Short mmCIF file of all heavy atoms in Angstrom, two decimals:
data_model
loop_
_atom_site.label_atom_id
_atom_site.label_comp_id
_atom_site.label_asym_id
_atom_site.label_seq_id
_atom_site.Cartn_x
_atom_site.Cartn_y
_atom_site.Cartn_z
N VAL A 8 109.43 26.18 124.56
CA VAL A 8 108.14 25.55 124.88
C VAL A 8 107.37 25.42 123.57
O VAL A 8 107.29 26.37 122.79
CB VAL A 8 107.33 26.42 125.86
CG1 VAL A 8 105.99 25.76 126.19
CG2 VAL A 8 108.12 26.67 127.15
N VAL A 9 106.80 24.24 123.34
CA VAL A 9 105.97 24.02 122.15
C VAL A 9 104.55 23.76 122.65
O VAL A 9 104.28 22.74 123.29
CB VAL A 9 106.48 22.83 121.31
CG1 VAL A 9 105.60 22.64 120.08
CG2 VAL A 9 107.93 23.03 120.91
N ASP A 10 103.65 24.70 122.38
CA ASP A 10 102.26 24.54 122.80
C ASP A 10 101.53 23.75 121.71
O ASP A 10 101.22 24.26 120.65
CB ASP A 10 101.61 25.91 122.99
CG ASP A 10 100.23 25.81 123.65
OD1 ASP A 10 99.72 24.68 123.77
OD2 ASP A 10 99.67 26.86 124.03
N SER A 11 101.27 22.48 122.01
CA SER A 11 100.65 21.61 121.02
C SER A 11 99.20 21.30 121.38
O SER A 11 98.64 20.29 120.97
CB SER A 11 101.46 20.30 120.92
OG SER A 11 101.01 19.54 119.83
N ASP A 12 98.59 22.18 122.17
CA ASP A 12 97.21 22.00 122.63
C ASP A 12 96.35 23.11 122.01
O ASP A 12 96.66 24.29 122.19
CB ASP A 12 97.18 22.10 124.17
CG ASP A 12 95.81 21.76 124.75
OD1 ASP A 12 94.81 21.79 124.00
OD2 ASP A 12 95.75 21.49 125.96
N PRO A 13 95.27 22.74 121.29
CA PRO A 13 94.41 23.76 120.66
C PRO A 13 93.84 24.78 121.65
O PRO A 13 93.45 25.88 121.25
CB PRO A 13 93.29 22.94 120.01
CG PRO A 13 93.87 21.58 119.81
CD PRO A 13 94.83 21.37 120.95
N GLN A 14 93.79 24.42 122.93
CA GLN A 14 93.29 25.38 123.92
C GLN A 14 94.26 26.55 124.11
O GLN A 14 93.87 27.62 124.58
CB GLN A 14 93.06 24.68 125.27
CG GLN A 14 91.94 23.65 125.22
CD GLN A 14 91.83 22.88 126.52
OE1 GLN A 14 91.39 23.41 127.53
NE2 GLN A 14 92.23 21.63 126.50
N GLY A 15 95.52 26.33 123.78
CA GLY A 15 96.52 27.40 123.83
C GLY A 15 96.78 27.95 125.23
O GLY A 15 97.21 29.09 125.38
N ASN A 16 96.54 27.14 126.26
CA ASN A 16 96.70 27.64 127.63
C ASN A 16 98.16 27.89 128.02
O ASN A 16 98.45 28.78 128.81
CB ASN A 16 96.06 26.67 128.63
CG ASN A 16 94.54 26.68 128.53
OD1 ASN A 16 93.97 27.63 128.01
ND2 ASN A 16 93.89 25.63 128.97
N ALA A 17 99.08 27.11 127.45
CA ALA A 17 100.49 27.36 127.73
C ALA A 17 100.92 28.70 127.13
O ALA A 17 101.71 29.44 127.72
CB ALA A 17 101.36 26.23 127.19
N THR A 18 100.36 29.02 125.96
CA THR A 18 100.66 30.29 125.31
C THR A 18 100.19 31.46 126.17
O THR A 18 100.96 32.37 126.49
CB THR A 18 99.98 30.37 123.92
OG1 THR A 18 100.44 29.26 123.13
CG2 THR A 18 100.29 31.66 123.19
N SER A 19 98.91 31.43 126.58
CA SER A 19 98.40 32.53 127.41
C SER A 19 99.01 32.52 128.80
O SER A 19 99.11 33.56 129.46
CB SER A 19 96.87 32.52 127.46
OG SER A 19 96.39 31.25 127.80
N GLY A 20 99.45 31.34 129.26
CA GLY A 20 100.12 31.24 130.57
C GLY A 20 101.44 31.99 130.62
O GLY A 20 101.94 32.30 131.71
N PHE A 21 102.00 32.30 129.44
CA PHE A 21 103.22 33.12 129.37
C PHE A 21 102.90 34.57 128.99
O PHE A 21 103.77 35.32 128.58
CB PHE A 21 104.23 32.52 128.39
CG PHE A 21 104.96 31.32 128.93
CD1 PHE A 21 104.70 30.05 128.44
CD2 PHE A 21 105.90 31.46 129.95
CE1 PHE A 21 105.37 28.94 128.94
CE2 PHE A 21 106.57 30.36 130.45
CZ PHE A 21 106.31 29.10 129.96
N GLY A 22 101.62 34.93 129.08
CA GLY A 22 101.22 36.31 128.84
C GLY A 22 101.14 36.70 127.37
O GLY A 22 101.17 37.86 127.02
N ILE A 23 101.00 35.70 126.50
CA ILE A 23 100.93 35.97 125.05
C ILE A 23 99.48 35.89 124.60
O ILE A 23 98.77 34.92 124.94
CB ILE A 23 101.78 34.94 124.27
CG1 ILE A 23 103.26 35.11 124.64
CG2 ILE A 23 101.58 35.07 122.77
CD1 ILE A 23 104.11 33.92 124.31
N ASN A 24 99.04 36.88 123.84
CA ASN A 24 97.68 36.86 123.29
C ASN A 24 97.63 35.86 122.14
O ASN A 24 98.14 36.13 121.04
CB ASN A 24 97.27 38.26 122.81
CG ASN A 24 95.80 38.30 122.40
OD1 ASN A 24 95.25 37.32 121.90
ND2 ASN A 24 95.17 39.45 122.62
N LYS A 25 97.05 34.70 122.41
CA LYS A 25 97.11 33.60 121.43
C LYS A 25 96.35 33.91 120.14
O LYS A 25 96.67 33.40 119.08
CB LYS A 25 96.60 32.30 122.06
CG LYS A 25 95.22 32.37 122.64
CD LYS A 25 94.92 31.13 123.47
CE LYS A 25 93.58 31.27 124.19
NZ LYS A 25 93.36 30.21 125.16
N ASN A 26 95.32 34.76 120.23
CA ASN A 26 94.50 35.05 119.05
C ASN A 26 95.12 36.08 118.12
O ASN A 26 94.64 36.28 117.01
CB ASN A 26 93.11 35.51 119.49
CG ASN A 26 92.41 34.43 120.32
OD1 ASN A 26 92.47 33.26 119.98
ND2 ASN A 26 91.80 34.83 121.43
N GLU A 27 96.19 36.71 118.55
CA GLU A 27 96.82 37.73 117.71
C GLU A 27 98.05 37.19 116.96
O GLU A 27 98.71 37.93 116.24
CB GLU A 27 97.26 38.92 118.58
CG GLU A 27 96.09 39.79 119.03
CD GLU A 27 96.55 40.98 119.85
OE1 GLU A 27 97.77 41.10 120.11
OE2 GLU A 27 95.68 41.79 120.24
N GLN A 28 98.34 35.91 117.14
CA GLN A 28 99.56 35.35 116.54
C GLN A 28 99.34 34.95 115.09
O GLN A 28 98.43 34.19 114.78
CB GLN A 28 100.05 34.15 117.36
CG GLN A 28 100.35 34.47 118.82
CD GLN A 28 101.21 35.71 118.99
OE1 GLN A 28 102.26 35.84 118.36
NE2 GLN A 28 100.77 36.62 119.84
N GLU A 29 100.21 35.46 114.24
CA GLU A 29 100.12 35.15 112.81
C GLU A 29 100.65 33.76 112.52
O GLU A 29 100.08 33.00 111.74
CB GLU A 29 100.93 36.19 112.03
CG GLU A 29 100.48 36.37 110.61
CD GLU A 29 101.22 37.52 109.95
OE1 GLU A 29 101.19 38.65 110.49
OE2 GLU A 29 101.85 37.27 108.92
N ASN A 30 101.78 33.42 113.14
CA ASN A 30 102.40 32.11 112.93
C ASN A 30 102.38 31.31 114.23
O ASN A 30 102.96 31.73 115.22
CB ASN A 30 103.84 32.27 112.44
CG ASN A 30 103.90 32.90 111.07
OD1 ASN A 30 103.08 32.58 110.21
ND2 ASN A 30 104.84 33.80 110.85
N THR A 31 101.70 30.18 114.18
CA THR A 31 101.59 29.30 115.35
C THR A 31 101.99 27.89 114.94
O THR A 31 102.37 27.65 113.79
CB THR A 31 100.14 29.27 115.89
OG1 THR A 31 99.30 28.61 114.92
CG2 THR A 31 99.60 30.68 116.15
N ILE A 32 101.83 26.95 115.85
CA ILE A 32 102.14 25.55 115.52
C ILE A 32 101.22 25.03 114.42
O ILE A 32 101.60 24.15 113.63
CB ILE A 32 102.08 24.66 116.79
CG1 ILE A 32 102.65 23.28 116.48
CG2 ILE A 32 100.67 24.61 117.36
CD1 ILE A 32 102.85 22.39 117.69
N TYR A 33 100.04 25.60 114.30
CA TYR A 33 99.09 25.21 113.24
C TYR A 33 99.69 25.50 111.86
O TYR A 33 99.75 24.63 110.99
CB TYR A 33 97.78 25.97 113.44
CG TYR A 33 96.79 25.86 112.29
CD1 TYR A 33 96.10 24.67 112.05
CD2 TYR A 33 96.54 26.94 111.45
CE1 TYR A 33 95.19 24.56 111.00
CE2 TYR A 33 95.63 26.85 110.41
CZ TYR A 33 94.97 25.66 110.19
OH TYR A 33 94.07 25.56 109.15
N GLU A 34 100.17 26.74 111.67
CA GLU A 34 100.79 27.11 110.39
C GLU A 34 102.05 26.27 110.14
O GLU A 34 102.34 25.90 109.00
CB GLU A 34 101.15 28.61 110.38
CG GLU A 34 99.96 29.54 110.15
CD GLU A 34 99.08 29.74 111.37
OE1 GLU A 34 99.53 29.43 112.50
OE2 GLU A 34 97.94 30.19 111.20
N LEU A 35 102.77 25.99 111.22
CA LEU A 35 104.00 25.19 111.10
C LEU A 35 103.70 23.78 110.60
O LEU A 35 104.34 23.28 109.68
CB LEU A 35 104.71 25.13 112.47
CG LEU A 35 106.02 24.33 112.52
CD1 LEU A 35 107.10 24.99 111.69
CD2 LEU A 35 106.49 24.17 113.96
N LEU A 36 102.70 23.13 111.20
CA LEU A 36 102.35 21.75 110.82
C LEU A 36 101.82 21.68 109.39
O LEU A 36 101.99 20.66 108.72
CB LEU A 36 101.30 21.19 111.78
CG LEU A 36 101.77 20.90 113.22
CD1 LEU A 36 100.60 20.53 114.12
CD2 LEU A 36 102.83 19.80 113.26
N LEU A 37 101.18 22.76 108.93
CA LEU A 37 100.62 22.74 107.57
C LEU A 37 101.61 23.29 106.53
O LEU A 37 101.27 23.45 105.36
CB LEU A 37 99.32 23.56 107.52
CG LEU A 37 98.16 22.98 108.35
CD1 LEU A 37 96.91 23.81 108.16
CD2 LEU A 37 97.88 21.53 107.99
N GLY A 38 102.84 23.61 106.99
CA GLY A 38 103.88 24.07 106.07
C GLY A 38 103.67 25.49 105.58
O GLY A 38 104.18 25.88 104.53
N GLU A 39 102.89 26.28 106.33
CA GLU A 39 102.61 27.66 105.91
C GLU A 39 103.62 28.67 106.49
O GLU A 39 103.55 29.86 106.19
CB GLU A 39 101.18 28.05 106.31
CG GLU A 39 100.13 27.27 105.53
CD GLU A 39 98.72 27.50 106.04
OE1 GLU A 39 98.53 28.39 106.89
OE2 GLU A 39 97.81 26.76 105.59
N CYS A 40 104.49 28.20 107.39
CA CYS A 40 105.57 29.07 107.90
C CYS A 40 106.74 28.17 108.30
O CYS A 40 106.57 26.96 108.48
CB CYS A 40 105.09 29.91 109.08
SG CYS A 40 104.90 28.99 110.63
N SER A 41 107.91 28.77 108.43
CA SER A 41 109.08 28.01 108.88
C SER A 41 109.09 27.95 110.41
O SER A 41 108.39 28.73 111.07
CB SER A 41 110.37 28.68 108.39
OG SER A 41 110.58 29.88 109.12
N ILE A 42 109.88 27.05 110.96
CA ILE A 42 109.94 26.95 112.41
C ILE A 42 110.52 28.24 113.03
O ILE A 42 110.08 28.66 114.10
CB ILE A 42 110.72 25.69 112.88
CG1 ILE A 42 110.50 25.48 114.39
CG2 ILE A 42 112.20 25.76 112.53
CD1 ILE A 42 110.67 24.07 114.87
N GLN A 43 111.45 28.87 112.33
CA GLN A 43 112.02 30.13 112.83
C GLN A 43 110.94 31.22 112.92
O GLN A 43 110.92 32.03 113.85
CB GLN A 43 113.17 30.61 111.93
CG GLN A 43 114.37 29.67 111.88
CD GLN A 43 115.13 29.62 113.21
OE1 GLN A 43 114.79 30.28 114.18
NE2 GLN A 43 116.18 28.80 113.26
N GLU A 44 110.04 31.22 111.94
CA GLU A 44 108.95 32.22 111.93
C GLU A 44 107.92 31.94 113.03
O GLU A 44 107.24 32.87 113.51
CB GLU A 44 108.24 32.22 110.56
CG GLU A 44 109.09 32.80 109.45
CD GLU A 44 108.50 32.55 108.07
OE1 GLU A 44 107.86 31.51 107.85
OE2 GLU A 44 108.71 33.41 107.19
N ALA A 45 107.81 30.68 113.44
CA ALA A 45 106.80 30.31 114.45
C ALA A 45 107.26 30.59 115.89
O ALA A 45 106.44 30.70 116.79
CB ALA A 45 106.44 28.83 114.30
N ILE A 46 108.58 30.70 116.08
CA ILE A 46 109.10 30.87 117.45
C ILE A 46 109.00 32.33 117.90
O ILE A 46 109.44 33.23 117.19
CB ILE A 46 110.57 30.40 117.54
CG1 ILE A 46 110.68 28.89 117.26
CG2 ILE A 46 111.17 30.71 118.91
CD1 ILE A 46 112.11 28.39 117.11
N ILE A 47 108.41 32.53 119.07
CA ILE A 47 108.46 33.85 119.73
C ILE A 47 109.66 33.78 120.67
O ILE A 47 109.65 33.05 121.66
CB ILE A 47 107.17 34.15 120.51
CG1 ILE A 47 105.96 34.11 119.58
CG2 ILE A 47 107.27 35.52 121.19
CD1 ILE A 47 104.62 34.24 120.29
#
């Protein structure tokens, strides 16, 4: 699942605390992490 919505509802809908994530799609799009690092 790729949560591409800034509201992050798909993330929290799977029981993940969206505000505690170091690597998200945001970091991925800006080249600050690899896709492997972004996947939970």
Side-chain angles (χ1 to χ4, degrees):
V8 180
V9 181
D10 189 350
S11 189
D12 187 342
Q14 293 175 72
N16 290 339
T18 302
S19 50
F21 284 109
I23 295 161
N24 187 327
K25 56 191 173 189
N26 300 317
E27 286 181 357
Q28 302 311 310
E29 204 173 305
N30 294 320
T31 68
I32 190 170
Y33 170 72
E34 283 77 18
L35 180 66
L36 291 172
L37 295 184
E39 293 172 9
C40 74
S41 71
I42 192 156
Q43 297 291 0
E44 289 169 328
I46 296 171
I47 302 173

